[in-house]
Amino acid sequence: ISNAEKLRKVCVLMVLWAIAHLSSPGYGLRALRRTTGGHRGSAGLTGQDANGVPLRRSKRGWMWNQFFLLEEYTGTDMQYVGKLHSDSDRGDGSVRYVLTGEGAGTLFKIDEKSGDIHATKRLDREEKAYYILHAKAVNRFTSEALEGESEFIIKIHDINDNEPRFTKDPYMARVPEMSDIGTSVIQVTAIDADDATYGNSARVVYSILEGQPYFSVDPETGLIKTALPGMDREVKENYQVVIQAKDMAGQMGGLSGTTTVSITLSDVNDNPPRFTKTLYEFRVPETRELGSEVGVIRALDADIGENAEMDYRITGSDGPGMFDIITNRTTQEGVIVLRKPLDFEKKRQYSLRVQVENVHINPRFFSVGPFRDEATIKIVVEDVDEPPVFERASYVMEVKEDAAKNTVIGSVSASDPDDKSSLVRYSIDRRTDMDRVFNIHAGNGSVFILRELDREEYAWHNISVIATEFNNPRQISRVPVYIRVLDVNDNAPTFATNYETFVCENAKRIQTVSATDPDEPLGGHRFFFSLAQEAAGKANFSVRDNKDNTAWILTRRNSYNSLQMSVYHVPVVISDGEFPMQSSTNTLTIRVCTCDREGNMKLCNAEAYTARAGLSTGALVAILLCVIILLMIVVLFAALRRQRKKEPLIISKEDVRDNVVSYNDEGGGEEDTQAFDIGTLRNPEAIEESKQRRDIVPETFYPPVRRPVLPPTRDNNGDVRDFINQRLQDNDSDPTAPPYDSLATYAYEGNGSVAESLSSLESVTTEGDQDYNYLSEWGPRFKKLADMYGGDDSDRDS
């Protein structure tokens, strides 16, 4: 707002205030005035009190005028509102005025003595337009109400202190391009908080500040319209329009507010698609796969969205069905795809006529022109070195199973489709013929057999033949070859199973037999059954052919005696009807058993029962394996127990050799006589007292107590007893003995043994071989020694 407008606003406020307060002096004084109806004492009688005194009713009336107060007061003193006065006020200060209600005590204050009312704060009508208060006069000393409580209103006079405000900022709007003049775009609304019932403070007028000459606005309603025809989105899409709203009906001095309206022109289909070229050229190799992309074309459309959607189609071609065009809905491009295989040698160039057209057409713009365009596409086929091509996609050949080796069963043919026509070499993929049953001629493609065929083993053979260019061995192609092996009558029919039957002695029909043949004649099998020639003369049985590839075995006797002969073997000849005829002789085993009258078998000979109750070969093998496993377990268990029970030779009860105590001290060999006194073990009387034992403390520190050696007695065991006692006393009296229990081993042979010493330690003193054969005469206790040392010299040498 300019300074001039501010000055005018202040002047208007001062004028209104002067009119409200100076035009009617004493207005506050008249605001509250108590009047009586008639003269004093002239009131009518209305009744009597309890004492019979007549009651007098006085008429009173309050004359109210609304208080008016200007908003937005800018003075330094409190704004004077008005004055309250009661007729009971004599001016002696006994009356106190009380103000209650909205804003009493905060916004409005009253002088208790004079009744003057002031506003303490600046008021805003837009916050609250009026206030309802209550006033009464009371006795200052007794607080007794002198007048009844009365209500009055303070209204706030409006001034133009609020500018219009738009409900949105900014506004967003869209309008179709190429719209006619006067097309509605959007309506804007501004609200003025001033009092619309008082003056023109809230009367708003709209105008456009920016956006001309494209748009206009209705000054009363704020409706924005197009003002220029033919606005093209492709030229300019967005517009910024500034709208002003001014109160005081747009007069000078009114307050105003502005808003921005962003207007976007929406697209319509007013532009046709156009190709960027009139001729497109693509080059494609002849080996391109079917369904693959050949090229991409694109037409341009200035429109957007669905208005720019296009359809491509081929309207003409010199190769019908060779190509197709597909529209990519995402990029709006035309994709040319291959539908039939290309061949450079047959056709080297194709020409297409392509048309593009909009999908959604607006009838308003038909006058602009046709919404389609056309272009020519030239497709050049490039030559590629192609692999050989077989005349057929697959080959089927037939050969009889009795064909000789190197027999040709058929041929394949392939050629180079290129202009140079390279020679082709043939081979068989050995991964499809691992057994090398077939081979092929590398030059002419003739397939022949290398091994004999057997239809019953393989009725079909599937192999792959490879064709390779001579000039470029990397160019190869394959073709499947299916070879059918034809059947020849090379197998004789046989029994369908191993027939063996048990019959009663009076049986007439023995068995029904059938045959099988691995051959497969075209007309089906036809078998003939007959009795073998060698058994035809003396046969007890006959064969009846049933003409359905089965036969009955019948008996020629009334009955059989199982005691005379219980087993019969019937030779049956089976032949087929093919050429050359194949036949075989099969034997039917018949076992005769004794039966009761109902035909139940009661007794068969031992052979028959054995045959009936006999186990199969598989069961016998299983039983045999179980027995072998059990035997192995038993042998293993016995070997383990024997190994645990076998005692070392040194601790065997029959081992009478000397026991040597090891003191973990390495000696110097046989020459070292100080390491161990072996003489102690030989003879207790040969002990050298001067020698010290190396396994005890020397006697110089702990002199042992030597006890006299008792003379040996003459009894049989006296020398042994004395030896043990002497050793026991030595150990008991030895102060260097270990403090724990220990085992002392004594070995003493005695004096004057007939066998002399058996110790191997003493054997080193003797020279020459000794004869130990006498050990075998000493009994079983010396058997082990006899085995070790006895025997002839020849045995020991061996």
Side-chain angles (χ1 to χ4, degrees):
I1 303 175
S2 63
N3 293 331
E5 291 180 349
K6 292 181 179 179
L7 182 60
R8 284 194 296 271
K9 180 177 179 181
V10 173
C11 293
V12 170
L13 292 174
M14 294 179 64
V15 170
L16 292 176
W17 182 83
I19 292 173
H21 290 80
L22 299 179
S23 62
S24 56
Y27 176 77
L29 297 178
R30 297 197 305 268
L32 179 59
R33 182 177 59 188
R34 183 179 185 276
T35 60
T36 59
H39 299 283
R40 187 183 299 272
S42 63
L45 297 176
T46 60
Q48 298 178 350
D49 59 8
N51 298 325
V53 179
L55 297 176
R56 186 182 303 274
R57 184 180 69 179
S58 60
K59 295 176 63 179
R60 65 175 181 172
W62 294 93
M63 292 180 61
W64 290 102
N65 288 311
Q66 293 180 344
F67 290 152
F68 292 94
L69 192 65
L70 285 177
E71 66 172 339
E72 304 295 342
Y73 174 71
T74 58
T76 58
D77 298 333
M78 291 189 297
Q79 187 177 5
Y80 182 74
V81 179
K83 184 180 182 64
L84 298 179
H85 184 72
S86 174
D87 292 343
S88 300
D89 189 359
R90 306 296 184 182
D92 55 2
S94 61
V95 177
R96 181 169 62 89
Y97 295 97
V98 179
L99 184 66
T100 59
E102 297 176 341
T106 56
L107 296 179
F108 304 101
K109 287 187 177 180
I110 188 170
D111 191 330
E112 295 181 351
K113 295 181 179 180
S114 64
D116 292 332
I117 302 174
H118 292 82
T120 61
K121 298 180 180 180
R122 186 171 64 176
L123 303 178
D124 189 357
R125 190 203 67 83
E126 286 71 36
E127 293 181 2
K128 193 171 180 62
Y130 60 92
Y131 297 87
I132 300 176
L133 295 96
H134 300 83
K136 64 179 178 178
V138 299
N139 189 293
R140 180 180 297 278
F141 306 104
T142 62
S143 297
E144 181 181 357
L146 301 178
E147 300 288 347
E149 185 178 82
S150 298
E151 180 181 274
F152 66 96
I153 300 174
I154 298 178
K155 281 192 173 182
I156 309 301
H157 261 309
D158 181 50
I159 63 173
N160 189 18
D161 59 343
N162 291 281
E163 71 275 6
R165 294 181 181 274
F166 285 93
T167 57
K168 293 181 181 179
D169 189 19
Y171 284 87
M172 308 296 294
R174 298 179 66 87
V175 63
E177 63 174 333
M178 298 296 178
S179 296
D180 298 332
I181 297 178
T183 301
S184 298
V185 180
I186 191 174
Q187 185 176 11
V188 296
T189 303
I191 299 176
D192 197 321
D194 293 328
D195 190 0
T197 62
Y198 182 77
N200 294 327
S201 299
R203 185 179 176 186
V204 179
V205 174
Y206 301 95
S207 61
I208 184 169
L209 300 182
E210 296 180 11
Q212 295 175 335
Y214 304 104
F215 301 96
S216 63
V217 63
D218 189 298
E220 299 294 334
T221 62
L223 179 62
I224 301 175
K225 302 178 181 179
T226 56
L228 192 68
M231 287 189 293
D232 193 354
R233 185 200 65 82
E234 288 73 31
V235 177
K236 186 177 181 180
E237 183 176 4
N238 297 310
Y239 295 85
Q240 298 292 328
V241 179
V242 179
I243 303 297
Q244 182 189 64
K246 190 174 184 180
D247 59 9
M248 299 297 292
Q251 298 177 4
M252 184 179 296
L255 304 178
S256 63
T258 61
T259 187
T260 301
V261 181
S262 179
I263 301 176
T264 302
L265 297 183
S266 59
D267 184 60
V268 297
N269 192 8
D270 58 339
N271 295 281
R274 291 289 181 263
F275 283 112
T276 57
K277 301 178 183 179
T278 58
L279 177 63
Y280 294 86
E281 182 175 340
F282 300 102
R283 307 184 73 85
V284 56
E286 61 177 334
T287 56
R288 183 65 57 88
E289 296 180 357
L290 299 181
S292 60
E293 177 183 309
V294 174
V296 177
I297 60 174
R298 183 177 183 180
L300 299 180
D301 192 328
D303 298 322
I304 59 174
E306 67 175 13
N307 297 318
E309 293 182 359
M310 296 172 278
D311 271 337
Y312 297 86
R313 64 176 178 271
I314 298 176
T315 58
S317 173
D318 57 357
M322 290 293 299
F323 303 94
D324 193 7
I325 189 167
I326 300 174
T327 303
N328 187 332
R329 293 301 178 190
T330 303
T331 60
Q332 298 301 318
E333 296 174 336
V335 182
I336 303 172
V337 296
L338 181 64
R339 294 303 184 193
K340 293 182 179 180
L342 300 173
D343 192 346
F344 174 81
E345 288 71 28
K346 292 182 179 180
K347 189 173 179 61
R348 304 185 179 185
Q349 181 176 314
Y350 294 88
S351 178
L352 308 177
R353 190 68 180 170
V354 179
Q355 183 184 87
V356 63
E357 185 176 11
N358 276 135
V359 177
H360 307 282
I361 300 177
N362 194 334
R364 283 183 54 198
F365 304 100
F366 278 158
S367 59
V368 178
F371 284 79
R372 66 176 66 92
D373 197 11
E374 291 186 348
T376 302
I377 299 177
K378 180 181 177 182
I379 299 177
V380 178
V381 182
E382 297 178 341
D383 187 24
V384 177
D385 189 7
E386 299 175 273
V389 178
F390 284 94
E391 292 181 353
R392 302 179 189 176
S394 62
Y395 291 84
V396 179
M397 302 178 183
E398 293 182 346
V399 57
K400 290 186 177 182
E401 62 177 325
D402 59 348
K405 295 180 181 180
N406 298 323
T407 300
V408 176
I409 60 176
S411 64
V412 298
S413 177
S415 60
D416 185 7
D418 299 323
D419 291 340
K420 53 188 178 182
S421 298
S422 173
L423 296 177
V424 177
R425 179 179 179 274
Y426 302 96
S427 62
I428 292 179
D429 187 355
R430 289 305 173 188
R431 292 176 297 180
T432 62
D433 186 24
M434 302 293 290
D435 297 332
R436 294 184 175 270
V437 180
F438 303 95
N439 203 355
I440 189 170
H441 192 280
N444 57 25
S446 299
V447 180
F448 55 91
I449 59 177
L450 296 176
R451 295 174 52 186
E452 294 181 353
L453 303 176
D454 188 356
R455 189 204 62 82
E456 287 72 32
E457 183 179 1
Y458 295 107
W460 285 88
H461 294 269
N462 302 331
I463 63 175
S464 293
V465 175
I466 301 174
T468 307
E469 289 186 9
F470 271 104
N471 297 335
N472 188 1
R474 291 178 298 177
Q475 295 293 338
I476 62 174
S477 58
R478 300 169 181 269
V479 66
V481 178
Y482 306 103
I483 302 174
R484 180 186 178 187
V485 180
L486 300 178
D487 183 42
V488 296
N489 194 24
D490 58 346
N491 293 283
T494 59
F495 275 154
T497 184
N498 186 18
Y499 289 107
E500 183 177 10
T501 183
F502 297 85
V503 298
C504 296
E505 295 175 341
N506 56 353
K508 298 300 182 182
R509 192 173 69 181
I510 305 302
Q511 178 73 36
T512 300
V513 295
S514 61
T516 183
D517 191 341
D519 295 328
E520 293 182 359
L522 297 178
H525 289 294
R526 177 66 180 95
F527 301 124
F528 301 94
F529 300 87
S530 61
L531 201 61
Q533 293 293 334
E534 63 271 15
K538 55 180 180 178
N540 295 320
F541 303 93
S542 62
V543 177
R544 179 186 295 177
D545 194 337
N546 296 326
K547 308 301 183 182
D548 58 355
N549 294 336
T550 64
W552 287 350
I553 306 300
L554 305 176
T555 179
R556 292 182 175 180
R557 298 171 55 180
N558 293 329
S559 64
Y560 295 88
N561 190 347
S562 60
L563 298 178
Q564 295 178 356
M565 187 173 181
S566 60
V567 180
Y568 296 87
H569 299 282
V570 181
V572 179
V573 177
I574 307 174
S575 59
D576 55 20
E578 300 299 322
F579 180 83
M581 181 178 292
Q582 301 289 342
S583 63
S584 66
T585 302
N586 301 264
T587 301
L588 170 65
T589 302
I590 301 175
R591 301 183 183 276
V592 180
C593 301
T594 302
C595 304
D596 57 13
R597 294 181 178 180
E598 286 76 16
N600 299 320
M601 294 184 183
K602 296 173 60 178
L603 179 63
C604 288
N605 58 9
E607 184 180 358
Y609 274 122
T610 304
R612 263 191 164 184
L615 297 175
S616 62
T617 304
L620 292 175
V621 171
I623 293 173
L624 182 59
L625 288 176
C626 292
V627 172
I628 293 174
I629 292 172
L630 290 175
L631 289 176
M632 292 177 64
I633 293 174
V634 171
V635 171
L636 181 61
F637 182 74
L640 292 176
R641 289 196 60 182
R642 184 175 180 181
Q643 185 176 3
R644 286 201 302 267
K645 289 184 176 182
K646 185 176 181 181
E647 298 178 352
L649 184 62
I650 193 65
I651 62 174
S652 175
K653 293 182 179 180
E654 297 182 359
D655 187 7
V656 295
R657 291 179 295 172
D658 298 334
N659 294 324
V660 180
V661 179
S662 175
Y663 289 92
N664 201 20
D665 184 23
E666 183 176 0
E670 295 181 356
E671 301 296 331
D672 186 7
T673 58
Q674 301 296 324
F676 190 82
D677 187 8
I678 200 65
T680 305
L681 297 178
R682 296 173 182 166
N683 194 337
E685 297 178 355
I687 298 178
E688 298 180 13
E689 296 182 0
S690 62
K691 285 189 177 181
Q692 296 179 352
R693 292 175 56 182
R694 300 184 66 180
D695 58 331
I696 63 175
V697 179
E699 294 178 354
T700 56
F701 297 97
Y702 300 96
V705 179
R706 301 295 293 178
R707 301 198 178 198
V709 180
L710 299 176
T713 59
R714 295 300 180 181
D715 53 53
N716 294 333
N717 298 324
D719 58 338
V720 178
R721 185 183 302 108
D722 295 340
F723 174 79
I724 294 176
N725 290 334
Q726 181 65 36
R727 287 290 182 262
L728 183 59
Q729 291 177 5
D730 293 343
N731 279 279
D732 292 339
S733 61
D734 188 3
T736 62
Y740 46 82
D741 295 340
S742 61
L743 177 64
T745 304
Y746 310 128
Y748 176 60
E749 298 178 1
N751 295 324
S753 174
V754 178
E756 297 182 353
S757 176
L758 299 179
S759 174
S760 61
L761 298 177
E762 193 177 5
S763 62
V764 298
T765 61
T766 62
E767 296 180 358
D769 294 332
Q770 300 183 19
D771 186 8
Y772 297 102
N773 291 331
Y774 59 87
L775 294 177
S776 60
E777 301 174 359
W778 287 8
R781 299 187 63 183
F782 295 87
K783 183 177 183 303
K784 186 176 293 292
L785 288 174
D787 294 338
M788 295 176 60
Y789 296 96
D792 299 332
D793 294 340
S794 61
D795 296 338
R796 288 195 299 270
D797 295 339
S798 63

